[in-house]
């Protein structure tokens, strides 16, 4: 049995991980480590690279945050010691990542060169380099590959992702038979034009890619891959004027409340309501601007929506029973991201151009606290460690 001396205990502050999170400070390439119980920042970790489109996943024990930077950086941050554990530059331009169901693998989706790379979560040692479909012929000097988007983890230690330029969805499955360890790829082609982002439903069964080049979505049932890709809502944008798109909706921000999904419509001032049993649209909710994120309160009672420029100073709250907008307010210029604490008693949001993070009580809509942050964007809590597809 190992014991710590009194001196060691005094010099090491015990910190629980379940109520921690990180806030991306995009302008300074840093993250703030925060505590949601106390609603306060604890520390800052910097030198993380270009965080202009950063995302984060967490280790199973919630100790480590893996930060995916736009410049191809992958950084493992120790949330107990407030420092970088390990950092690599794994590509020229990356767009996000995922952690496998068992917590052993970190996958990163890349624009340049197109494809995904898979690393050991312990050491960040490269385990697989999966190249996307090439766009040019082999006779040219330098091959160009499709950009990869919409990377998520799926049950069975699989990764699923979309190829923007070649209209595909791939499933990467880890195979370990007779000491033959490899990543087996199953490819689905002609899924629709330009899948720009994707999500996996909370159960891990359905993977859904949004299409930028045409109206509709591509759906893949991961329980029955033999069915191939199904097109859903192919006509939701018919006979409607599509506005210039200032910021693409983030499909991982789909709000799933009960059997219904609340989906930001591309180029419209509306939220689509989809029945996830039939995958048919049942309603359209007019909103203040072009929605970016639609985030469901964990109990499914509310959906909070933020918007693209020039309406990005506003938040609207939708009642999921009657689809009415029950609250609207203006936290400040450039509200970029929103996150609920695990049981939904707090809503945190980042106000980039005010350089601050605000925390609200979703029951009363009253602001409980504000604290400074440098150009904050993404807000990620360690509870994501135990959710599929985040």
């Amino acid at each position: 049995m190992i014991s710590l001396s009194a001196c060691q205990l005094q010099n090491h502050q015990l910190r629980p991980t379940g109520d921690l999170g990180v806030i991306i400070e995009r302008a300074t390439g840093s993250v703030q480590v925060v505590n949601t119980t106390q609603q306060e920042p604890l520390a800052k970790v910097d030198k993380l690279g270009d965080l202009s489109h950063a995302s984060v996943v967490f280790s199973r024990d919630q100790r480590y945050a893996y930060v995916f930077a736009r410049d191809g950086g992958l950084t493992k941050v120790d949330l107990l010691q407030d420092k970088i554990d390990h950092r690599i530059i794994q590509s020229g331009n990356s767009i996000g990542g995922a952690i496998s169901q068992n917590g052993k693998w970190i996958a990163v989706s890349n624009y340049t060169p197109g494809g995904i790379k898979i690393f050991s979560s312990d050491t960040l040692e490269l385990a697989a380099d999966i190249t996307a479909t090439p766009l040019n012929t082999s006779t040219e000097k330098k091959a160009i590959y499709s950009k990869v988007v919409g990377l998520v983890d799926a049950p069975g230690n699989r990764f699923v992702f979309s190829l923007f330029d070649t209209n595909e969805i791939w499933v990467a499955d880890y195979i370990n038979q007779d000491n033959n360890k490899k990543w087996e790829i199953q490819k689905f082609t002609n899924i629709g034009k330009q899948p720009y982002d994707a999500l996996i439903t909370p159960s891990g069964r359905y993977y859904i890619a949004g299409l930028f080049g045409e109206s509709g979505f591509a759906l893949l049932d991961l329980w029955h891959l033999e069915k191939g890709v199904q097109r859903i809502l192919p006509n939701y944008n018919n006979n409607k004027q599509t506005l210039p798109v200032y910021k693409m909706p983030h499909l991982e921000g789909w709000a799933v409340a009960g059997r219904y999904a609340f989906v930001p419509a591309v180029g419209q001032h509306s939220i689509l309501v989809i029945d996830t049993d039939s995958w048919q649209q049942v309603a359209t909710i007019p909103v203040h601007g072009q929605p970016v994120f639609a985030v469901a309160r964990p109990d499914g009672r509310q959906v909070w929506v933020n918007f693209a420029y020039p309406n990005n100073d506003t938040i609207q709250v939708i009642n999921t029973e009657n689809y009415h907008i029950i609250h609207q307010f203006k936290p400040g210029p450039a509200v970029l991201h929103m996150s609920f604490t695990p049981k939904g008693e707090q809503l945190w949001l980042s106000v980039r151009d005010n350089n601050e993070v605000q925390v609200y009580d979703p029951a009363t809509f009253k602001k409980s606290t504000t604290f400074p942050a440098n150009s904050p964007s993404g807000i990620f809590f360690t509870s994501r460690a135990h959710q599929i597809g985040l």
Side-chain angles (χ1 to χ4, degrees), residues 246-260:
Y246 296 105
K247 185 173 178 61
M248 293 298 295
H250 285 245
L251 291 192
E252 287 192 15
W254 274 33
V256 179
R259 63 184 279 186
Y260 297 103

Side-chain angles (χ1 to χ4, degrees), residues 7-8 15 44 60 64 118 138 141 256 280 361-362 370:
C7 180
Q8 285 176 306
R15 179 187 293 175
K44 180 178 292 192
R60 285 169 56 90
Y64 298 102
I118 300 174
S138 58
K141 291 183 179 180
V256 179
Q280 298 296 314
D361 180 342
T370 299

Side-chain angles (χ1 to χ4, degrees), residues 263-303:
V263 181
V266 177
Q268 297 180 25
H269 291 187
S270 60
I271 295 287
L272 312 179
V273 184
I274 301 173
D275 184 333
T276 61
D277 285 346
S278 64
W279 296 108
Q280 298 296 314
Q281 182 179 347
V282 297
T284 301
I285 304 172
V287 290
H288 176 69
Q290 292 184 29
V292 177
F293 285 102
V295 180
R297 200 170 76 177
D299 64 359
R301 190 71 181 273
Q302 298 173 352
V303 170

Side-chain angles (χ1 to χ4, degrees), residues 77-97:
V77 176
D78 188 332
L79 300 180
L80 295 187
Q81 299 191 47
D82 304 324
K83 67 178 186 178
I84 293 174
D85 179 89
H86 200 59
R87 173 173 167 78
I88 61 173
I89 300 297
Q90 57 83 39
S91 76
N93 186 345
S94 61
I95 197 65

